[in-house]
Amino acid sequence: KTIEHMQQSDYGKHIFGYEIASLGSEEWYHVGVNQQQLGDYSVHLERAFQKWVRDKYQTREKLESAWGKPGLDFDQVVIPSKQERMGDQEQTFRHPATDMNVIDFYVFYSEVVVDTIDYFANIAKKTSGRKKVIGAFYDYMYELRGGPEFGHNAGGKLLHRTNIDVICARPRYYERQLGTGAEA
């Protein structure tokens, strides 16, 4: 409705595009991250994760093998526990033989953000007659250090979506010096 209103206004023809924003600080990362909380253990996310896992593995045997859990069925797939998500803080990477459920969850968790951006970008594109540039904040790889809780680890998937024209990844918030920008 906001885009419809703006498009029909006297200044509508002068609008170059729209930046869609949501979730944590309007920068498309999962709510709760900056409060040191783990986000979303809802039944809705769990069902979506089960569907994603089913689409990925197709058969129970492939799921059992990948996750190293004999007897596991798709309806038994759950969001990893806090302990599983936090992992061993001394390790940089997760081992697929023991942590594939967590690896899969975090791939899915980032794709949820991309799918949501694309959903709203599609609405913005349609409402603007597909003539306006549509952008979103995403892919903060250096700022967030690839932390999977943020949901910014599916930039490649977003690049293949046709509803987003611009991805904005701003410079770092930290270590900014007057007149110099941010140091990496």
Tab-separated table of all heavy atoms in Angstrom, residues 119-168:
chain	number	residue	atom	x	y	z
A	119	TYR	N	10.560	-12.480	-1.387
A	119	TYR	CA	9.097	-12.390	-1.325
A	119	TYR	C	8.643	-10.928	-1.354
A	119	TYR	O	7.786	-10.543	-2.154
A	119	TYR	CB	8.588	-13.090	-0.055
A	119	TYR	CG	7.115	-12.910	0.179
A	119	TYR	CD1	6.199	-13.729	-0.466
A	119	TYR	CD2	6.642	-11.925	1.028
A	119	TYR	CE1	4.834	-13.566	-0.268
A	119	TYR	CE2	5.286	-11.753	1.240
A	119	TYR	CZ	4.386	-12.577	0.593
A	119	TYR	OH	3.044	-12.400	0.795
A	120	PHE	N	9.226	-10.116	-0.480
A	120	PHE	CA	8.832	-8.708	-0.426
A	120	PHE	C	9.358	-7.915	-1.623
A	120	PHE	O	8.703	-6.979	-2.089
A	120	PHE	CB	9.255	-8.080	0.906
A	120	PHE	CG	8.411	-8.552	2.043
A	120	PHE	CD1	8.907	-9.446	2.968
A	120	PHE	CD2	7.097	-8.126	2.181
A	120	PHE	CE1	8.122	-9.907	4.011
A	120	PHE	CE2	6.297	-8.575	3.212
A	120	PHE	CZ	6.809	-9.472	4.138
A	121	ALA	N	10.519	-8.286	-2.131
A	121	ALA	CA	11.043	-7.628	-3.336
A	121	ALA	C	10.121	-7.887	-4.522
A	121	ALA	O	9.900	-6.994	-5.351
A	121	ALA	CB	12.452	-8.112	-3.634
A	122	ASN	N	9.569	-9.073	-4.613
A	122	ASN	CA	8.620	-9.395	-5.680
A	122	ASN	C	7.377	-8.507	-5.589
A	122	ASN	O	6.895	-7.993	-6.603
A	122	ASN	CB	8.242	-10.877	-5.617
A	122	ASN	CG	7.314	-11.264	-6.742
A	122	ASN	OD1	7.555	-10.950	-7.905
A	122	ASN	ND2	6.242	-11.962	-6.408
A	123	ILE	N	6.873	-8.326	-4.393
A	123	ILE	CA	5.714	-7.441	-4.199
A	123	ILE	C	6.070	-6.020	-4.618
A	123	ILE	O	5.300	-5.357	-5.327
A	123	ILE	CB	5.225	-7.485	-2.740
A	123	ILE	CG1	4.639	-8.859	-2.419
A	123	ILE	CG2	4.207	-6.375	-2.469
A	123	ILE	CD1	4.334	-9.087	-0.951
A	124	ALA	N	7.255	-5.552	-4.207
A	124	ALA	CA	7.685	-4.197	-4.575
A	124	ALA	C	7.841	-4.060	-6.082
A	124	ALA	O	7.450	-3.045	-6.677
A	124	ALA	CB	8.988	-3.853	-3.862
A	125	LYS	N	8.413	-5.080	-6.719
A	125	LYS	CA	8.576	-5.055	-8.182
A	125	LYS	C	7.217	-4.983	-8.879
A	125	LYS	O	7.007	-4.162	-9.778
A	125	LYS	CB	9.337	-6.297	-8.672
A	125	LYS	CG	10.816	-6.198	-8.567
A	125	LYS	CD	11.371	-5.304	-9.642
A	125	LYS	CE	12.869	-5.369	-9.679
A	125	LYS	NZ	13.417	-4.367	-10.588
A	126	LYS	N	6.302	-5.854	-8.489
A	126	LYS	CA	4.973	-5.881	-9.116
A	126	LYS	C	4.236	-4.560	-8.901
A	126	LYS	O	3.640	-4.017	-9.835
A	126	LYS	CB	4.138	-7.034	-8.559
A	126	LYS	CG	4.543	-8.388	-9.063
A	126	LYS	CD	3.660	-9.474	-8.459
A	126	LYS	CE	4.052	-10.844	-8.948
A	126	LYS	NZ	3.249	-11.904	-8.301
A	127	THR	N	4.285	-4.060	-7.680
A	127	THR	CA	3.560	-2.840	-7.348
A	127	THR	C	4.125	-1.627	-8.085
A	127	THR	O	3.391	-0.695	-8.397
A	127	THR	CB	3.591	-2.611	-5.824
A	127	THR	OG1	3.105	-3.787	-5.172
A	127	THR	CG2	2.725	-1.448	-5.413
A	128	SER	N	5.404	-1.653	-8.381
A	128	SER	CA	6.023	-0.528	-9.098
A	128	SER	C	6.078	-0.779	-10.607
A	128	SER	O	6.789	-0.088	-11.334
A	128	SER	CB	7.426	-0.266	-8.553
A	128	SER	OG	8.274	-1.364	-8.811
A	129	GLY	N	5.331	-1.775	-11.066
A	129	GLY	CA	5.301	-2.066	-12.500
A	129	GLY	C	6.611	-2.631	-13.019
A	129	GLY	O	6.903	-2.526	-14.214
A	130	ARG	N	7.409	-3.187	-12.148
A	130	ARG	CA	8.724	-3.749	-12.473
A	130	ARG	C	9.645	-2.701	-13.120
A	130	ARG	O	10.547	-3.024	-13.878
A	130	ARG	CB	8.612	-4.995	-13.339
A	130	ARG	CG	7.769	-6.098	-12.676
A	130	ARG	CD	7.984	-7.471	-13.236
A	130	ARG	NE	9.174	-8.130	-12.738
A	130	ARG	CZ	9.309	-8.702	-11.541
A	130	ARG	NH1	8.325	-8.667	-10.691
A	130	ARG	NH2	10.428	-9.306	-11.198
A	131	LYS	N	9.401	-1.436	-12.807
A	131	LYS	CA	10.192	-0.353	-13.412
A	131	LYS	C	11.112	0.340	-12.422
A	131	LYS	O	11.884	1.206	-12.815
A	131	LYS	CB	9.250	0.684	-14.029
A	131	LYS	CG	8.461	0.122	-15.192
A	131	LYS	CD	7.555	1.150	-15.796
A	131	LYS	CE	6.777	0.533	-16.951
A	131	LYS	NZ	5.816	1.442	-17.515
A	132	LYS	N	11.025	-0.021	-11.154
A	132	LYS	CA	11.863	0.632	-10.143
A	132	LYS	C	12.947	-0.331	-9.669
A	132	LYS	O	12.794	-1.551	-9.677
A	132	LYS	CB	11.024	1.061	-8.932
A	132	LYS	CG	9.883	2.003	-9.270
A	132	LYS	CD	10.377	3.329	-9.801
A	132	LYS	CE	9.183	4.226	-10.082
A	132	LYS	NZ	9.549	5.543	-10.526
A	133	VAL	N	14.047	0.230	-9.273
A	133	VAL	CA	15.142	-0.540	-8.702
A	133	VAL	C	14.749	-0.939	-7.282
A	133	VAL	O	14.267	-0.110	-6.513
A	133	VAL	CB	16.438	0.301	-8.694
A	133	VAL	CG1	17.538	-0.373	-7.895
A	133	VAL	CG2	16.888	0.582	-10.112
A	134	ILE	N	14.960	-2.205	-6.945
A	134	ILE	CA	14.630	-2.705	-5.613
A	134	ILE	C	15.912	-3.191	-4.958
A	134	ILE	O	16.679	-3.965	-5.546
A	134	ILE	CB	13.602	-3.857	-5.670
A	134	ILE	CG1	12.355	-3.435	-6.456
A	134	ILE	CG2	13.252	-4.337	-4.264
A	134	ILE	CD1	11.564	-2.279	-5.874
A	135	GLY	N	16.139	-2.737	-3.743
A	135	GLY	CA	17.344	-3.120	-3.023
A	135	GLY	C	17.045	-3.577	-1.611
A	135	GLY	O	15.943	-3.398	-1.097
A	136	ALA	N	18.056	-4.171	-0.991
A	136	ALA	CA	17.960	-4.622	0.397
A	136	ALA	C	19.352	-4.670	1.004
A	136	ALA	O	20.337	-4.881	0.299
A	136	ALA	CB	17.313	-6.005	0.465
A	137	PHE	N	19.410	-4.474	2.307
A	137	PHE	CA	20.654	-4.673	3.040
A	137	PHE	C	20.852	-6.172	3.221
A	137	PHE	O	19.958	-6.870	3.693
A	137	PHE	CB	20.575	-4.019	4.427
A	137	PHE	CG	20.600	-2.528	4.392
A	137	PHE	CD1	19.469	-1.795	4.680
A	137	PHE	CD2	21.776	-1.854	4.085
A	137	PHE	CE1	19.495	-0.413	4.665
A	137	PHE	CE2	21.811	-0.470	4.069
A	137	PHE	CZ	20.666	0.247	4.360
A	138	TYR	N	22.024	-6.685	2.854
A	138	TYR	CA	22.307	-8.101	3.044
A	138	TYR	C	23.776	-8.376	2.753
A	138	TYR	O	24.450	-7.561	2.131
A	138	TYR	CB	21.430	-8.985	2.137
A	138	TYR	CG	21.495	-10.448	2.512
A	138	TYR	CD1	20.860	-10.920	3.656
A	138	TYR	CD2	22.219	-11.349	1.761
A	138	TYR	CE1	20.954	-12.252	4.031
A	138	TYR	CE2	22.314	-12.686	2.124
A	138	TYR	CZ	21.676	-13.130	3.260
A	138	TYR	OH	21.763	-14.443	3.637
A	139	ASP	N	24.236	-9.523	3.178
A	139	ASP	CA	25.569	-10.045	2.869
A	139	ASP	C	26.678	-9.299	3.612
A	139	ASP	O	27.723	-8.998	3.047
A	139	ASP	CB	25.812	-10.022	1.360
A	139	ASP	CG	26.571	-11.249	0.889
A	139	ASP	OD1	26.743	-12.188	1.675
A	139	ASP	OD2	27.003	-11.257	-0.279
A	140	TYR	N	26.485	-9.065	4.882
A	140	TYR	CA	27.480	-8.380	5.703
A	140	TYR	C	28.562	-9.357	6.141
A	140	TYR	O	28.720	-9.664	7.317
A	140	TYR	CB	26.826	-7.802	6.950
A	140	TYR	CG	25.868	-6.664	6.757
A	140	TYR	CD1	25.416	-6.280	5.510
A	140	TYR	CD2	25.410	-5.963	7.853
A	140	TYR	CE1	24.531	-5.237	5.355
A	140	TYR	CE2	24.529	-4.911	7.719
A	140	TYR	CZ	24.093	-4.549	6.470
A	140	TYR	OH	23.217	-3.511	6.341
A	141	MET	N	29.308	-9.858	5.236
A	141	MET	CA	30.264	-10.920	5.548
A	141	MET	C	31.407	-10.466	6.451
A	141	MET	O	31.826	-11.188	7.343
A	141	MET	CB	30.817	-11.537	4.267
A	141	MET	CG	29.763	-12.261	3.447
A	141	MET	SD	28.755	-13.444	4.389
A	141	MET	CE	29.989	-14.604	4.907
A	142	TYR	N	31.929	-9.276	6.249
A	142	TYR	CA	33.057	-8.846	7.077
A	142	TYR	C	32.581	-8.353	8.434
A	142	TYR	O	33.161	-8.669	9.461
A	142	TYR	CB	33.879	-7.772	6.356
A	142	TYR	CG	34.558	-8.329	5.139
A	142	TYR	CD1	34.136	-7.989	3.866
A	142	TYR	CD2	35.607	-9.230	5.264
A	142	TYR	CE1	34.749	-8.536	2.747
A	142	TYR	CE2	36.223	-9.779	4.156
A	142	TYR	CZ	35.790	-9.415	2.902
A	142	TYR	OH	36.395	-9.951	1.800
A	143	GLU	N	31.528	-7.590	8.441
A	143	GLU	CA	31.014	-7.046	9.692
A	143	GLU	C	30.546	-8.150	10.633
A	143	GLU	O	30.813	-8.119	11.824
A	143	GLU	CB	29.851	-6.097	9.404
A	143	GLU	CG	29.268	-5.456	10.633
A	143	GLU	CD	30.203	-4.477	11.308
A	143	GLU	OE1	31.108	-3.937	10.648
A	143	GLU	OE2	30.034	-4.241	12.503
A	144	LEU	N	29.849	-9.132	10.111
A	144	LEU	CA	29.276	-10.187	10.952
A	144	LEU	C	30.181	-11.405	11.048
A	144	LEU	O	29.839	-12.374	11.711
A	144	LEU	CB	27.902	-10.596	10.403
A	144	LEU	CG	26.905	-9.438	10.222
A	144	LEU	CD1	25.607	-9.950	9.641
A	144	LEU	CD2	26.670	-8.704	11.531
A	145	ARG	N	31.324	-11.367	10.366
A	145	ARG	CA	32.321	-12.437	10.396
A	145	ARG	C	31.729	-13.802	10.058
A	145	ARG	O	32.170	-14.830	10.560
A	145	ARG	CB	33.017	-12.467	11.746
A	145	ARG	CG	33.790	-11.204	12.054
A	145	ARG	CD	34.272	-11.113	13.477
A	145	ARG	NE	33.293	-11.316	14.517
A	145	ARG	CZ	32.394	-10.415	14.922
A	145	ARG	NH1	32.356	-9.236	14.342
A	145	ARG	NH2	31.549	-10.687	15.889
A	146	GLY	N	30.705	-13.822	9.226
A	146	GLY	CA	30.110	-15.078	8.808
A	146	GLY	C	29.319	-15.790	9.888
A	146	GLY	O	28.952	-16.942	9.727
A	147	GLY	N	29.062	-15.098	11.002
A	147	GLY	CA	28.311	-15.708	12.102
A	147	GLY	C	26.971	-16.229	11.620
A	147	GLY	O	26.150	-15.451	11.131
A	148	PRO	N	26.711	-17.528	11.732
A	148	PRO	CA	25.508	-18.094	11.137
A	148	PRO	C	24.206	-17.657	11.773
A	148	PRO	O	23.162	-17.737	11.149
A	148	PRO	CB	25.725	-19.605	11.304
A	148	PRO	CG	26.639	-19.746	12.463
A	148	PRO	CD	27.535	-18.546	12.409
A	149	GLU	N	24.237	-17.167	13.001
A	149	GLU	CA	22.997	-16.728	13.653
A	149	GLU	C	22.389	-15.510	12.959
A	149	GLU	O	21.188	-15.272	13.059
A	149	GLU	CB	23.230	-16.418	15.134
A	149	GLU	CG	23.371	-17.634	16.004
A	149	GLU	CD	22.115	-18.480	16.084
A	149	GLU	OE1	20.992	-17.945	16.081
A	149	GLU	OE2	22.257	-19.718	16.142
A	150	PHE	N	23.180	-14.729	12.273
A	150	PHE	CA	22.673	-13.532	11.609
A	150	PHE	C	21.835	-13.862	10.383
A	150	PHE	O	20.958	-13.107	10.017
A	150	PHE	CB	23.831	-12.609	11.200
A	150	PHE	CG	24.505	-11.949	12.361
A	150	PHE	CD1	25.601	-12.536	12.967
A	150	PHE	CD2	24.043	-10.744	12.845
A	150	PHE	CE1	26.222	-11.937	14.046
A	150	PHE	CE2	24.655	-10.124	13.921
A	150	PHE	CZ	25.751	-10.722	14.531
A	151	GLY	N	22.130	-14.971	9.709
A	151	GLY	CA	21.382	-15.331	8.508
A	151	GLY	C	21.886	-14.647	7.250
A	151	GLY	O	21.176	-14.552	6.256
A	152	HIS	N	23.130	-14.187	7.272
A	152	HIS	CA	23.698	-13.481	6.117
A	152	HIS	C	24.652	-14.363	5.313
A	152	HIS	O	25.575	-13.861	4.678
A	152	HIS	CB	24.441	-12.222	6.588
A	152	HIS	CG	23.568	-11.024	6.671
A	152	HIS	ND1	23.808	-9.883	5.958
A	152	HIS	CD2	22.435	-10.789	7.369
A	152	HIS	CE1	22.875	-8.980	6.228
A	152	HIS	NE2	22.032	-9.516	7.091
A	153	ASN	N	24.430	-15.658	5.314
A	153	ASN	CA	25.354	-16.555	4.620
A	153	ASN	C	24.752	-17.194	3.374
A	153	ASN	O	25.139	-18.291	2.999
A	153	ASN	CB	25.845	-17.642	5.581
A	153	ASN	CG	26.698	-17.068	6.688
A	153	ASN	OD1	27.300	-16.015	6.533
A	153	ASN	ND2	26.757	-17.744	7.815
A	154	ALA	N	23.838	-16.506	2.724
A	154	ALA	CA	23.245	-17.033	1.489
A	154	ALA	C	23.262	-15.975	0.389
A	154	ALA	O	22.341	-15.882	-0.421
A	154	ALA	CB	21.822	-17.541	1.748
A	155	GLY	N	24.321	-15.197	0.360
A	155	GLY	CA	24.435	-14.138	-0.643
A	155	GLY	C	24.392	-14.662	-2.070
A	155	GLY	O	23.798	-14.036	-2.943
A	156	GLY	N	24.990	-15.812	-2.308
A	156	GLY	CA	24.966	-16.400	-3.651
A	156	GLY	C	23.560	-16.693	-4.114
A	156	GLY	O	23.222	-16.488	-5.280
A	157	LYS	N	22.727	-17.153	-3.206
A	157	LYS	CA	21.334	-17.438	-3.547
A	157	LYS	C	20.590	-16.142	-3.879
A	157	LYS	O	19.805	-16.093	-4.821
A	157	LYS	CB	20.644	-18.174	-2.397
A	157	LYS	CG	19.238	-18.616	-2.734
A	157	LYS	CD	18.635	-19.486	-1.647
A	157	LYS	CE	17.243	-19.948	-2.091
A	157	LYS	NZ	16.618	-20.831	-1.104
A	158	LEU	N	20.863	-15.088	-3.106
A	158	LEU	CA	20.188	-13.811	-3.372
A	158	LEU	C	20.609	-13.227	-4.719
A	158	LEU	O	19.801	-12.631	-5.424
A	158	LEU	CB	20.466	-12.815	-2.247
A	158	LEU	CG	19.686	-11.507	-2.301
A	158	LEU	CD1	18.176	-11.754	-2.289
A	158	LEU	CD2	20.080	-10.600	-1.148
A	159	LEU	N	21.859	-13.425	-5.090
A	159	LEU	CA	22.345	-12.905	-6.377
A	159	LEU	C	21.618	-13.523	-7.572
A	159	LEU	O	21.586	-12.930	-8.643
A	159	LEU	CB	23.846	-13.142	-6.517
A	159	LEU	CG	24.748	-12.285	-5.639
A	159	LEU	CD1	26.198	-12.752	-5.753
A	159	LEU	CD2	24.626	-10.810	-6.000
A	160	HIS	N	21.057	-14.699	-7.400
A	160	HIS	CA	20.345	-15.369	-8.488
A	160	HIS	C	18.851	-15.042	-8.515
A	160	HIS	O	18.142	-15.547	-9.383
A	160	HIS	CB	20.562	-16.883	-8.404
A	160	HIS	CG	21.958	-17.264	-8.771
A	160	HIS	ND1	22.956	-17.380	-7.836
A	160	HIS	CD2	22.521	-17.511	-9.970
A	160	HIS	CE1	24.074	-17.699	-8.441
A	160	HIS	NE2	23.846	-17.789	-9.739
A	161	ARG	N	18.400	-14.223	-7.613
A	161	ARG	CA	16.988	-13.834	-7.595
A	161	ARG	C	16.783	-12.635	-8.509
A	161	ARG	O	17.612	-11.731	-8.572
A	161	ARG	CB	16.529	-13.505	-6.168
A	161	ARG	CG	16.655	-14.672	-5.206
A	161	ARG	CD	15.739	-15.823	-5.642
A	161	ARG	NE	15.866	-16.982	-4.809
A	161	ARG	CZ	15.110	-17.245	-3.752
A	161	ARG	NH1	14.172	-16.401	-3.378
A	161	ARG	NH2	15.296	-18.335	-3.059
A	162	THR	N	15.686	-12.619	-9.231
A	162	THR	CA	15.451	-11.560	-10.224
A	162	THR	C	14.707	-10.353	-9.667
A	162	THR	O	14.562	-9.357	-10.372
A	162	THR	CB	14.661	-12.120	-11.421
A	162	THR	OG1	13.411	-12.626	-10.952
A	162	THR	CG2	15.438	-13.206	-12.127
A	163	ASN	N	14.264	-10.416	-8.431
A	163	ASN	CA	13.512	-9.295	-7.866
A	163	ASN	C	14.383	-8.265	-7.163
A	163	ASN	O	13.925	-7.177	-6.853
A	163	ASN	CB	12.456	-9.819	-6.883
A	163	ASN	CG	11.422	-10.659	-7.589
A	163	ASN	OD1	10.867	-10.259	-8.601
A	163	ASN	ND2	11.174	-11.846	-7.070
A	164	ILE	N	15.629	-8.611	-6.898
A	164	ILE	CA	16.552	-7.694	-6.223
A	164	ILE	C	17.560	-7.171	-7.238
A	164	ILE	O	18.211	-7.935	-7.942
A	164	ILE	CB	17.293	-8.417	-5.071
A	164	ILE	CG1	16.366	-8.633	-3.893
A	164	ILE	CG2	18.518	-7.655	-4.611
A	164	ILE	CD1	16.020	-7.383	-3.107
A	165	ASP	N	17.663	-5.843	-7.294
A	165	ASP	CA	18.600	-5.208	-8.219
A	165	ASP	C	19.875	-4.739	-7.526
A	165	ASP	O	20.926	-4.650	-8.145
A	165	ASP	CB	17.933	-3.996	-8.887
A	165	ASP	CG	16.666	-4.379	-9.611
A	165	ASP	OD1	16.738	-5.237	-10.509
A	165	ASP	OD2	15.594	-3.843	-9.264
A	166	VAL	N	19.768	-4.411	-6.238
A	166	VAL	CA	20.884	-3.834	-5.497
A	166	VAL	C	20.967	-4.507	-4.128
A	166	VAL	O	19.959	-4.622	-3.436
A	166	VAL	CB	20.693	-2.314	-5.291
A	166	VAL	CG1	21.793	-1.738	-4.429
A	166	VAL	CG2	20.612	-1.590	-6.610
A	167	ILE	N	22.157	-4.938	-3.771
A	167	ILE	CA	22.410	-5.437	-2.421
A	167	ILE	C	23.331	-4.427	-1.751
A	167	ILE	O	24.406	-4.109	-2.273
A	167	ILE	CB	23.075	-6.825	-2.435
A	167	ILE	CG1	22.157	-7.844	-3.101
A	167	ILE	CG2	23.415	-7.262	-1.009
A	167	ILE	CD1	22.808	-9.193	-3.330
A	168	CYS	N	22.899	-3.915	-0.631
A	168	CYS	CA	23.686	-2.919	0.097
A	168	CYS	C	24.354	-3.572	1.297
A	168	CYS	O	23.678	-4.104	2.174
A	168	CYS	CB	22.788	-1.795	0.588
A	168	CYS	SG	21.904	-0.955	-0.733
